[in-house]
Amino acid sequence: MVKKKIKKPLTVQQKINRRTFLSFGIFGTAAVGGVLGWRWLYNSPYEVKGITGNQRIPLRRALNKTELAVRRFLYNENHLVKTYPKAMASKNVRVNSDIGIEAEKKFDVAAWCLQVKKPNGEMLNVTLDELRTLPKTEIVYDFKCVEGWDQISYWGGVKFSDFLNHYNLHDQAQLQYVGMETPDKTYYVGIDMPSAIHPQTIMAYEVNARPLPLEHGAPLRLIIPVKYGIKNLKRIGTITFSNTRPRDYWAELGYDYYSGL
Ligand SMILES: Nc1nc2c(c(=O)[nH]1)N[C@H]1C(S)=C(S)[C@@H](COP(=O)(O)O)O[C@H]1N2
Ligand SMILES: [Mo]
């Protein structure tokens, strides 16, 4: 006869001990894994400087993969960013950084005009007065900066998609990216076309229903609520269109190129 080994039922204390042991085991493995993963990441080489730069290769790869997943499964041009009543908008809109619009660099707002470079090399020049004749779009939303602050603010200007339609830039709208640079070309951003033509993306010439002050990017800035602050370029000088990623100030310094919310 084969003797069956009978397992004695565990006592409550034994059960607790086993649980504790398991929990610590799992926690410990995760912790060690985390530390090793971190060490691995921080021993990985940096990417070759190009459109993006200054980032460890695996992390950049992850950022780019996340972008693809977001664009494929999460991004929806009909999905609108939350808006607020005007009364909730901050009266003193924070001024964050001023690359390309530094006060000591004298800037003549009256002499400004927007330069739109078409892929065929043709140049379209648009004045602020012309832009003001287009339908005005206003938005009150929570502006978010990657540095960890956010603020409800109220902007007014021309919807980017209205601008493209009005100037017959339909062929340009078929391309994958929009590039924007300050007139002095020291701050620049690249925006994927779906985000650029999102119904809440505007080129703003007003904040709190008043003309944009210099420090907020007078006479015209980008307000793109589906992106972090870094993409909201102040003082647009030139606009370009392309199928490759335009240069981007913060992406070159290691930040996510997409920087979506
Ligand atoms: N030309 C220019 N645009 C810019 C910046 C800049 O330094 N220069 N900073 C960006 C960042 S990081 C943020 S958070 C917002 C801040 O906009 P605000 O100063 O109007 O609040 O502008 C963005 N646009
Ligand atoms: Mo920012």
Side-chain angles (χ1 to χ4, degrees), residues 5-257:
K5 225 182 179 178
I6 296 167
K7 262 192 173 172
K8 259 205 282 174
L10 294 172
T11 65
V12 171
Q13 189 54 50
Q14 279 173 319
K15 278 185 182 167
I16 292 173
N17 287 346
R18 179 181 269 204
R19 276 275 158 91
T20 313
F21 178 75
L22 271 174
S23 307
F24 273 103
I26 292 167
F27 178 78
T29 310
V32 169
V35 169
L36 288 180
W38 193 256
R39 289 239 304 250
W40 165 75
L41 186 59
Y42 280 86
N43 285 323
S44 311
Y46 277 99
E47 62 189 315
V48 176
K49 235 185 161 86
I51 285 296
T52 62
N54 216 29
Q55 191 50 267
R56 307 276 177 182
I57 289 171
L59 199 52
R60 178 64 72 189
R61 223 175 257 152
L63 290 172
N64 288 340
K65 283 269 189 302
T66 308
E67 164 173 351
L68 289 182
V70 169
R71 290 178 67 170
R72 188 134 174 227
F73 301 112
L74 292 178
Y75 184 86
N76 178 345
E77 63 199 31
N78 299 315
H79 178 87
L80 298 181
V81 167
K82 186 174 181 206
T83 56
Y84 298 81
K86 283 176 192 169
M88 284 180 71
S90 169
K91 291 284 164 278
N92 296 307
V93 181
R94 178 171 176 151
V95 176
N96 201 50
S97 56
D98 65 349
I99 305 157
I101 61 165
E102 297 87 349
E104 60 276 13
K105 285 188 196 163
K106 291 277 169 280
F107 183 74
D108 186 0
V109 175
W112 173 93
C113 93
L114 179 64
Q115 298 187 299
V116 184
K117 278 187 198 154
K118 299 194 187 178
N120 64 6
E122 244 179 80
M123 193 73 99
L124 172 73
N125 293 319
V126 185
T127 64
L128 190 61
D129 285 342
E130 280 179 274
L131 288 175
R132 284 180 183 280
T133 65
L134 268 63
K136 183 157 126 187
T137 300
E138 298 192 321
I139 186 166
V140 182
Y141 79 107
D142 195 10
F143 186 107
K144 297 187 178 80
C145 169
V146 285
E147 288 170 301
W149 57 269
D150 67 287
Q151 184 171 57
I152 296 175
S153 46
Y154 166 29
W155 309 91
V158 184
K159 199 187 280 191
F160 194 68
S161 62
D162 285 348
F163 167 79
L164 294 181
N165 284 331
H166 184 266
Y167 288 98
N168 287 312
L169 298 166
H170 306 294
D171 294 346
Q172 282 71 26
Q174 299 304 311
L175 302 182
Q176 292 178 44
Y177 292 95
V178 178
M180 291 189 183
E181 306 208 350
T182 52
D184 74 354
K185 312 214 172 304
T186 60
Y187 195 86
Y188 36 91
V189 297
I191 311 276
D192 53 287
M193 189 60 77
S195 301
I197 60 174
H198 182 275
Q200 291 171 307
T201 300
I202 64 176
M203 292 194 289
Y205 47 75
E206 287 179 359
V207 61
N208 283 330
R210 319 252 339 138
L212 216 57
L214 286 170
E215 64 275 21
H216 284 301
L220 193 72
R221 76 169 300 169
L222 182 63
I223 285 294
I224 181 160
V226 295
K227 300 279 187 205
Y228 276 107
I230 45 177
K231 294 282 189 184
N232 289 244
L233 181 130
K234 298 192 273 191
R235 192 170 298 153
I236 309 171
T238 55
I239 300 182
T240 57
F241 302 89
S242 57
N243 270 329
T244 52
R245 287 171 160 190
R247 65 187 194 133
D248 186 277
Y249 187 91
W250 288 108
E252 288 173 4
L253 295 175
Y255 282 75
D256 180 23
Y257 192 93

